[in-house]
Amino acid sequence: MTQSLRFSITTPPAAEPVESADVWSWLHIDPETDDGTIDRLIPASRQAAENYTRRAFITQTITLKLDCWPCKIVLPHPPLIDVTSIQYADEAGATQTLPADQYLVDATSEPGVIAPAYGVSWPSLRAQRNAVTVTYRAGYGVNKEAVPDEISQAILMLVAHRFANREGAGGMPEHIAQMLNAYRVYQTLGA
């Protein structure tokens, strides 16, 4: 059974893959003439690139909700750093935290995967929506230096494109999409 993915960013990145100074230098504009547009375009462009690649670039905390236990839990928005917790509604409806020794985390796979430990089965759940909550951290690292250069360059170019086309800069330009395609996650994330 394939479940719909319900996830949210619960702790957004504390930094961006590019900074205002990078964009000002790229565009050859004086920082004094920028009205704050660049600062608004950077996170929006990062989010567009993350959505396109289905990845997290800078470390962020993500919460995934599931209605039932799949054979394995596939975690959207790699690269996976670690799993913070797995909580579930037991048959009585009480929230329980699954002990870390009851599951295995494969952070080397992209996307990351969680499976029951050897000889362990997932615990019984109450039949309700969002019965399982997985909280985890994903991203390349906490600062812009951790992000692959090609991704940072693509975001820089996307910010520049959106700055130059403020009236109608919708969609991902093909040349930027081509740069990001090598990082795009194509695997179906359904359980």
Side-chain angles (χ1 to χ4, degrees):
M1 172 177 144
T2 300
Q3 299 191 58
S4 63
L5 291 175
R6 292 182 305 278
F7 63 91
S8 60
I9 311 292
T10 48
T11 305
E16 293 293 341
V18 298
E19 296 172 347
S20 300
D22 302 324
V23 179
W24 295 328
S25 175
W26 178 261
L27 293 175
H28 303 289
I29 61 172
D30 182 353
E32 298 296 320
T33 64
D34 181 17
D35 61 359
T37 301
I38 298 296
D39 287 335
R40 289 188 301 276
L41 289 174
I42 290 172
S45 296
R46 179 210 14 106
Q47 289 168 355
E50 285 179 331
N51 290 339
Y52 181 80
T53 60
R54 300 180 189 104
R55 287 186 174 276
F57 300 149
I58 300 287
T59 301
Q60 51 198 267
T61 303
I62 301 173
T63 301
L64 174 67
K65 301 281 188 171
L66 303 166
D67 295 337
C68 61
W69 296 112
C71 293
K72 62 182 179 179
I73 302 170
V74 181
L75 302 172
H77 288 266
L80 174 63
I81 297 171
D82 57 24
V83 174
T84 307
S85 69
I86 300 176
Q87 295 185 314
Y88 64 95
D90 67 16
E91 291 179 304
T95 300
Q96 302 292 335
T97 300
L98 189 65
D101 65 354
Q102 300 294 298
Y103 58 90
L104 301 173
V105 177
D106 179 1
T108 59
S109 293
E110 285 205 354
V113 176
I114 303 171
Y118 179 77
V120 174
S121 298
W122 295 125
S124 297
L125 296 175
R126 184 180 189 105
Q128 67 181 39
R129 286 192 52 82
N130 303 320
V132 179
T133 302
V134 181
T135 305
Y136 61 99
R137 293 183 320 134
Y140 289 104
V142 296
N143 56 38
K144 71 179 196 168
E145 289 77 23
V147 177
D149 290 339
E150 195 164 27
I151 291 174
S152 297
Q153 184 66 31
I155 293 170
L156 182 63
M157 291 170 66
L158 186 56
V159 171
H161 171 77
R162 289 177 166 190
F163 184 78
N165 300 288
R166 284 175 262 184
E167 299 303 317
M172 182 71 64
E174 184 61 32
H175 66 288
I176 298 172
Q178 287 177 358
M179 291 178 72
L180 293 172
N181 280 341
Y183 297 94
R184 199 163 190 198
V185 177
Y186 290 97
Q187 179 179 347
T188 301
L189 295 175

